Amino acid sequence: MPYVPHSPEEVREMLEVIGVSTVEDLFAEIPAEFRPKSFDLPEGKSEMEVLDRLEHLAAKNTTNMTSFLGAGFYDHFIPSAVDALSSRGEFYTAYTPYQPEAAQGTLQAIFEYQTAMTRLMGLPYANASVYDGGTALYEAAMMAVRKTRRRKIIVSEGLNPIYRVMLDSYTTNLNLELVTIPHKNGATDIKAISAAIDKETAAVLVQNPNFFGSINDFTDLFKTVHENKAVAVMSTYPVMQSVLKTPGDMGADIAVADGQSLGQPLSFGGPYLGIMTCNKTLVRQMPGRMAGRTTDTEGRTGYVLTLQAREQHIRRHKATSNICSNQALCALRALIHLCLLGEEGLRRTAGLSIERAHYAAERLTAIDGVELFTEGPFGNEFAITLPVNAYEVIDALTERSIIPGFPIGRYYEGMEKGLLVACTEKTTEEQIGIFAEILRGTLS
Amino acid sequence: MTTVFKKSVPGREGVWPAKPKKDVSEFIPAELLRDSAGMPSLSELDVVRHFTRLSLKNYGVDGNFYPLGSCTMKYNPKFTEKAAALPGFARLHPVMPQLKGAGRHCQGALEVVYETEQLLSEITGMSGFTLQPMAGAHGELTGAMLIAAYHKDKGNKKTKVICPDSAHGTNPASATIAGFEVISIESKDGIISPEALAEVLDDDVAALMMTCPNTLGLFETHLPEIVKMLHEKDALLYYDGANLNAIMGKLRVGDAGFDVVHVNLHKTFATPHGGGGPGSGPVGVSEKLLPYLPISRVKKLEDGSFYLDYNYPKSIGYIAPFYGSFGVFLKAYAYILRLGREGIVRASENAVLNANYMRKKLEDYFEIPYNKLCMHEFVSSAAKQAENGVRALDIAKALLDKGYHAPTIYFPLIVKECMMIEPTETESKATMDAFIDDLIEIAQIAETDPDALHAAPIYLPASRLDETAAARNMELTDDIG
């Protein structure tokens, strides 16, 4: 039997110690009427057979097309050392660091991850990560609700719609009011958001760059948020955050992001990690784990999980959140990724992605009937308006091994001709050229 | 050990892509840009050495026996990593199946989702599963949201969820966050008593959250009666699957009358926990809760192809951006296929065999508060040793010095000086015997030289750490403090 080491003789010896005659006797307390009505699983297979099966399934997915898909999740290059280091068994097969002396590796890595995230976001405190960017956004909103004891949450429609639908689900049973402020031609409508803020507002949730790729400075907006004693929450994209003005510099109280673009494969949606950072007044409202630096009995520097009085295992139903684990391994990958690229590598990654996106925008909008939708500055992603429904273009180009982007109409009514196009440092000028030419041919 | 940031040498070359032709300021106005992001400058070897050295300060299952009760730290087979890393999975963008025609380009991944749901349904006896929850506690929250949706839809005004005092702290926290008031009940002789339940069970109760076997490692022998009592009130039964590893093939929670279950894949189905996550906490439901499961759901057409179905008007909506921790449940899927029916049953049998063996071997040296047949784990107590001033914490640290991870200590909260031991099925008799001998030796030292144990650990990278100072100083990054 795979992975179970006992010989029949050893089993006999153990049963004798216990004082029963068969293994089945150990389950005597489970009543007969509760025994399984069926247990119809396939027969076990050899490792080789299972791998064959999985290779067969993997081959049914097409991953060799040129893709301009983004929508918050990006195909950045992952240095080989990220896999090599993060798959070391000492990291990989460890549990939550409940015995800190035996988990200094994990704990120091979390502490360093927290440091990296606070620097990226320009805010002083970070947690050890939560499940994903959407969860991080929801948790940020709840931090604001607890802090302000108010119930109105203002949400920009420029926020990733995938996260907004999550926010809707999570808040259904809570006595909260979500107010969504429509975008204005793809731009975050700062004026309308400002006008909606009042003394009942707990939080204002915005994104930079927003879903359409548009880059903003929210400094003035956040001033209005603070004048009303509400909490300013900004969702970001960590790779762009290496070059963009930080949430902290704009005056955000909480900054969140999905960390997928930092060393995590796309992997059909997960596992990813939710990044959360905040200022000092909110740190005790932060959900999940945090690692802190301290000393041992010899005075040596060491690390522990800290501020646990906020957490579910101590506070039970009064905890800041029900979140118990973090995405430790994903956080480790993000940290290693950032360290390997370093300051210069990260800036180049962002710079190349931006440069390629602007080249793509130029090439695509040179086609008759294709217009740039995103107003103002944008980073590595932008929206265009096509003369036809975006799905038609996606279907036609996919046939030619190009996935041209994300159909905006899927989430935004009346924008069926909108296409969201993303580039990374992996996108080549040649690929962009082929995309543009095939699109031109398709539309003519 | 110095942090990676302090090792930075400006100008040192890391893993750089090509230099862009133009500066970013040619595309984005300067006032929207920042200067430095504060990332370190290191060579690849600097980074490799730093993280290799950090890894050597860690205990993992690959290197050590890890009898951490309630956490089920069994061996994670290596081949599943290979499966998850296949480019056909790792490079697949999650919105692919949303692109209409492009759904045909991810049939393999959708099949993994579909089949994993089917396999988990058969193992637990539930009618349907969602793989979206990204951790056990996330599964609990999803379950509590499903329970709320069910009652709301039926027009039931139910506001309370019952959690036994032995429940994981996540249970009451999850129920609260889903909008419920939490009622706690006391266990009697380590299990839920129908009398205690009857006292709090009124028409306002939406559900009871139960772990069975419970956190004391005991089977809830009043389960049939409890199920009946709850269902008579149209209250639902939630099963916390943390201890599923004890009962596979012996009890299917669906057959036993549970309405919702979450499964911790990193425990029962051997996906590595990575020092704290990622997890994956799929949720299974009985037939009456099927309409409320999160969207999208993967469906199979008659021609054998798969698609995403969003047509569930009563769904609780999205609780994850896509399909959950795909890379994690892919490994669980591979593990289940590898073991098959017989292997899965054998896993539970050996987990229970090992726990009972250790319980019997230790009963003369440590107090075993509920010393009867246990499931895959048991609770022992250092109460006897505490009379000499040696606490569970000291014993845990002494075990670290012996090269093991410690058992879970001080949980469940209802047992004094609690040490919860879970060997799991993948440990050999030889490993357990060596651990038992070491633990007995520690018990003897507790009688003769208690101070020696107060000093432990002394052979690890750190001795006991000052947690109070850590909380007071709040030094949470390299830039503070």
Side-chain angles (χ1 to χ4, degrees):
Chain A
M1 197 58 56
Y3 321 123
V4 171
H6 304 326
S7 71
E9 181 54 33
E10 286 173 319
V11 172
R12 265 195 301 278
E13 282 173 36
M14 291 164 72
L15 288 172
E16 204 176 308
V17 169
I18 299 167
V20 295
S21 41
T22 67
V23 170
E24 192 50 44
D25 292 343
L26 300 170
F27 296 88
E29 281 194 335
I30 303 181
E33 76 257 35
F34 274 12
R35 291 312 178 103
K37 292 182 183 130
S38 79
F39 203 67
D40 190 16
L41 296 172
E43 291 295 313
K45 291 182 177 61
S46 68
E47 177 174 326
M48 189 174 76
E49 288 171 307
V50 179
L51 280 175
D52 276 352
R53 165 93 185 128
L54 286 153
E55 275 166 26
H56 165 76
L57 288 170
K60 287 166 89 175
N61 305 316
T62 318
T63 49
N64 56 0
M65 289 191 272
T66 302
S67 174
F68 294 86
L69 275 180
F73 309 92
Y74 304 93
D75 184 22
H76 286 290
F77 178 74
I78 302 173
S80 307
V82 173
D83 280 334
L85 292 168
S86 67
S87 62
R88 287 186 63 88
E90 301 87 343
F91 285 132
Y92 216 92
T93 69
Y95 202 73
T96 299
Y98 289 140
Q99 296 289 340
E101 300 88 355
Q104 284 300 296
T106 291
L107 285 160
Q108 183 171 335
I110 293 175
F111 179 86
E112 291 178 355
Y113 161 84
Q114 289 168 183
T115 306
M117 294 309 121
T118 56
R119 289 185 180 189
L120 270 184
M121 302 296 191
L123 282 161
Y125 293 94
N127 70 8
S129 73
V130 293
Y131 310 135
D132 81 304
T135 318
L137 182 73
Y138 151 73
E139 292 287 351
M142 297 312 290
M143 285 167 70
V145 168
R146 285 193 300 275
K147 181 79 184 165
T148 61
R149 297 169 188 272
R150 298 176 183 175
R151 46 179 293 276
K152 181 169 156 186
I153 298 166
I154 297 174
V155 185
S156 160
E157 208 189 12
L159 253 163
N160 195 323
I162 297 167
Y163 296 159
R164 283 191 285 118
V165 290
M166 285 174 73
L167 196 63
D168 281 342
S169 305
Y170 286 131
T171 53
T172 306
N173 302 312
L174 309 176
N175 181 26
L176 298 174
E177 186 193 357
L178 295 186
V179 180
T180 304
I181 307 295
H183 68 89
K184 201 173 162 191
N185 295 324
T188 304
D189 195 341
I190 294 177
K191 246 189 204 164
I193 295 172
S194 290
I197 302 169
D198 57 22
K199 302 292 176 203
E200 306 300 314
T201 306
V204 172
L205 277 44
V206 293
Q207 181 172 314
N208 189 48
N210 77 6
F211 186 68
F212 305 95
S214 140
I215 296 173
N216 292 279
D217 189 338
F218 293 124
T219 307
D220 291 339
L221 173 66
F222 292 165
K223 267 187 203 141
T224 313
V225 172
H226 291 147
E227 280 161 14
N228 287 275
K229 296 193 169 20
V231 174
V233 180
M234 182 165 141
S235 182
T236 69
Y237 167 24
V239 170
M240 284 304 116
Q241 215 45 72
S242 65
V243 294
L244 293 182
K245 182 172 177 180
T246 67
D249 280 344
M250 293 184 197
D253 301 294
I254 305 173
V256 296
D258 196 295
Q260 179 273 327
S261 54
L262 303 175
Q264 323 296 323
L266 284 162
S267 191
F268 205 50
Y272 299 161
L273 72 154
I275 297 167
M276 293 194 83
T277 60
C278 71
N279 64 24
K280 191 166 186 178
T281 61
L282 284 153
V283 65
R284 285 176 196 277
Q285 298 294 337
M286 190 109 87
R289 298 180 177 146
M290 282 180 248
R293 187 152 58 191
T294 186
T295 50
D296 70 4
T297 50
E298 314 277 307
R300 293 173 295 196
T301 296
Y303 302 88
V304 293
L305 291 181
T306 192
L307 301 183
Q308 295 185 56
R310 307 162 294 119
E311 292 190 77
Q312 39 70 32
H313 61 281
I314 308 244
R315 294 269 281 166
R316 296 175 84 85
H317 67 281
K318 288 180 180 163
T320 51
S321 158
N322 73 324
I323 286 186
C324 174
S325 58
N326 70 311
Q327 304 287 92
L329 195 72
C330 300
L332 175 72
R333 290 181 67 96
L335 172 68
I336 296 171
H337 183 84
L338 288 169
C339 291
L340 286 165
L341 292 177
E343 178 72 19
E344 174 67 16
L346 191 62
R347 289 185 80 85
R348 285 190 184 190
T349 301
L352 278 174
S353 305
I354 293 166
E355 191 169 282
R356 302 279 151 85
H358 284 78
Y359 178 68
E362 190 185 310
R363 290 292 302 264
L364 295 173
T365 53
I367 301 166
D368 277 348
V370 178
E371 279 168 26
L372 190 64
F373 179 75
T374 305
E375 284 180 11
F378 62 89
N380 73 316
E381 192 162 24
F382 59 93
I384 51 175
T385 310
L386 298 161
V388 297
N389 187 306
Y391 277 113
E392 278 179 43
V393 165
I394 290 169
D395 281 351
L397 267 69
T398 307
E399 290 299 318
R400 310 280 302 270
S401 283
I402 290 173
I403 307 171
F406 185 79
I408 296 170
R410 186 178 154 67
Y411 287 107
Y412 293 86
E413 224 174 298
M415 293 190 64
E416 284 67 30
K417 292 177 177 174
L419 186 72
L420 197 59
V421 180
C423 295
T424 69
E425 79 284 5
K426 287 170 83 175
T427 318
T428 64
E429 289 187 356
E430 191 191 0
Q431 287 172 333
I432 293 165
I434 295 169
F435 172 21
E437 287 320 305
I438 293 180
L439 180 63
R440 186 191 302 273
T442 307
L443 294 176
S444 63
Chain B
M1 196 173 123
T2 317
T3 66
V4 74
F5 297 95
K6 298 263 157 61
K7 291 178 178 170
S8 174
V9 178
R12 193 171 277 183
E13 184 162 352
V15 182
W16 293 349
K19 203 173 164 72
K21 287 180 216 153
K22 295 178 183 170
D23 190 76
V24 61
S25 60
E26 295 196 33
F27 303 109
I28 300 169
E31 66 270 21
L32 294 172
L33 297 173
R34 75 184 297 180
D35 290 335
S36 165
M39 293 303 116
S41 297
L42 299 160
S43 71
E44 180 166 327
L45 180 58
D46 291 336
V47 178
V48 168
R49 290 228 171 110
H50 179 77
F51 288 99
T52 300
R53 285 173 188 165
L54 279 187
S55 78
L56 297 175
K57 293 170 173 243
N58 248 21
Y59 277 24
V61 174
D62 282 3
N64 302 275
F65 182 35
Y66 221 112
L68 193 59
S70 200
C71 298
T72 313
M73 292 298 282
K74 61 167 110 171
Y75 171 66
N76 312 130
K78 300 295 174 193
F79 80 100
T80 61
E81 298 308 320
K82 218 168 163 178
L86 289 167
F89 294 127
R91 289 190 190 157
L92 198 57
H93 197 290
V95 304
M96 281 285 278
Q98 300 179 19
L99 305 182
K100 253 183 179 168
R104 66 182 177 276
H105 295 293
C106 44
Q107 284 295 306
L110 294 176
E111 192 166 342
V112 170
V113 176
Y114 183 85
E115 284 206 0
T116 308
E117 287 183 5
Q118 301 283 315
L119 290 167
L120 291 174
S121 295
E122 185 58 30
I123 291 169
T124 56
M126 305 309 283
S127 300
F129 253 88
T130 173
L131 301 178
Q132 277 189 31
M134 295 176 272
H138 200 213
E140 290 174 19
L141 175 58
T142 306
M145 286 163 68
L146 289 165
I147 289 164
Y150 168 82
H151 288 306
K152 201 170 171 185
D153 191 35
K154 285 194 76 180
N156 296 344
K157 290 210 169 21
K158 287 176 178 280
T159 52
K160 302 179 198 166
V161 165
I162 300 173
C163 296
D165 55 359
S166 62
H168 299 109
T170 45
N171 285 184
S174 299
T176 305
I177 281 158
F180 290 109
E181 179 194 345
V182 172
I183 310 293
S184 183
I185 51 169
E186 272 180 39
S187 317
K188 198 181 162 203
D189 299 327
I191 55 176
I192 301 173
S193 80
E195 294 75 32
L197 177 60
E199 273 178 34
V200 294
L201 184 57
D202 57 25
D203 289 334
D204 295 342
V205 172
L208 168 73
M209 294 180 91
M210 192 197 277
T211 309
C212 178
N214 65 23
T215 56
L216 295 165
L218 304 178
F219 189 78
E220 293 284 354
T221 42
H222 300 296
L223 185 57
E225 202 179 338
I226 294 168
V227 173
K228 199 164 157 267
M229 287 169 72
L230 281 149
H231 283 171
E232 275 170 7
K233 294 273 185 196
D234 200 12
L236 303 177
L237 225 70
Y238 184 96
Y239 182 90
D240 180 325
N243 294 342
L244 191 70
N245 204 47
I247 57 162
M248 292 185 292
K250 306 294 178 188
L251 170 83
R252 294 200 316 173
V253 293
D255 295 346
F258 284 90
D259 301 288
V260 193
V261 53
H262 88 261
V263 180
N264 299 73
L265 295 188
H266 63 274
K267 299 183 182 189
T268 316
F269 299 105
T271 58
H273 202 42
S280 176
V283 166
V285 295
S286 59
E287 185 137 14
K288 58 187 172 198
L289 288 163
L290 282 175
Y292 312 103
L293 283 176
I295 47 173
S296 59
R297 303 210 57 207
V298 177
K299 286 302 177 66
K300 192 176 185 173
L301 292 167
E302 271 179 25
D303 67 359
S305 64
F306 300 89
Y307 73 103
L308 294 181
D309 188 353
Y310 291 87
N311 190 20
Y312 286 86
K314 292 182 177 179
S315 166
I316 58 167
Y318 292 68
I319 59 115
F322 301 106
Y323 326 100
S325 290
F326 179 79
V328 178
F329 61 71
L330 177 62
K331 292 176 207 174
Y333 171 69
Y335 180 80
I336 295 170
L337 291 186
R338 172 87 175 92
L339 263 59
R341 186 179 64 241
E342 205 188 333
I344 297 260
V345 176
R346 194 64 57 85
S348 285
E349 287 179 345
N350 280 279
V352 174
L353 174 68
N354 284 1
N356 278 289
Y357 175 70
M358 290 190 73
R359 175 179 60 82
K360 287 300 282 184
K361 291 284 250 185
L362 288 168
E363 68 184 1
D364 293 337
Y365 305 91
F366 292 91
E367 193 183 311
I368 314 279
Y370 305 94
N371 197 9
K372 53 178 188 170
L373 274 186
C374 65
M375 299 305 278
H376 66 316
E377 61 195 358
F378 66 100
V379 164
S380 61
S381 161
K384 232 192 290 187
Q385 287 74 22
E387 289 167 16
N388 279 346
V390 174
R391 304 193 58 202
L393 182 73
D394 301 313
I395 295 170
K397 302 304 182 193
L399 280 167
L400 300 182
D401 262 346
K402 296 267 186 195
Y404 304 104
H405 197 280
T408 294
I409 50 173
Y410 304 114
F411 180 82
L413 307 171
I414 50 182
V415 172
K416 271 187 202 158
E417 295 301 324
C418 186
M419 300 189 294
M420 190 183 197
I421 299 175
E422 179 179 11
T424 82
E425 71 275 17
T426 55
E427 295 303 331
S428 69
K429 183 168 173 295
T431 302
M432 290 190 290
D433 285 339
F435 179 81
I436 289 161
D437 288 346
D438 283 325
L439 201 48
I440 292 171
E441 192 193 318
I442 290 168
Q444 284 158 351
I445 297 171
E447 287 180 17
T448 55
D449 185 10
D451 279 344
L453 299 177
H454 297 146
I458 49 178
Y459 302 121
L460 267 61
S463 60
R464 285 196 210 183
L465 291 149
D466 190 343
E467 299 193 22
T468 315
R472 197 175 48 237
N473 299 338
M474 286 219 299
E475 214 178 299
L476 306 183
T477 72
D478 219 10
D479 303 318
I480 299 175

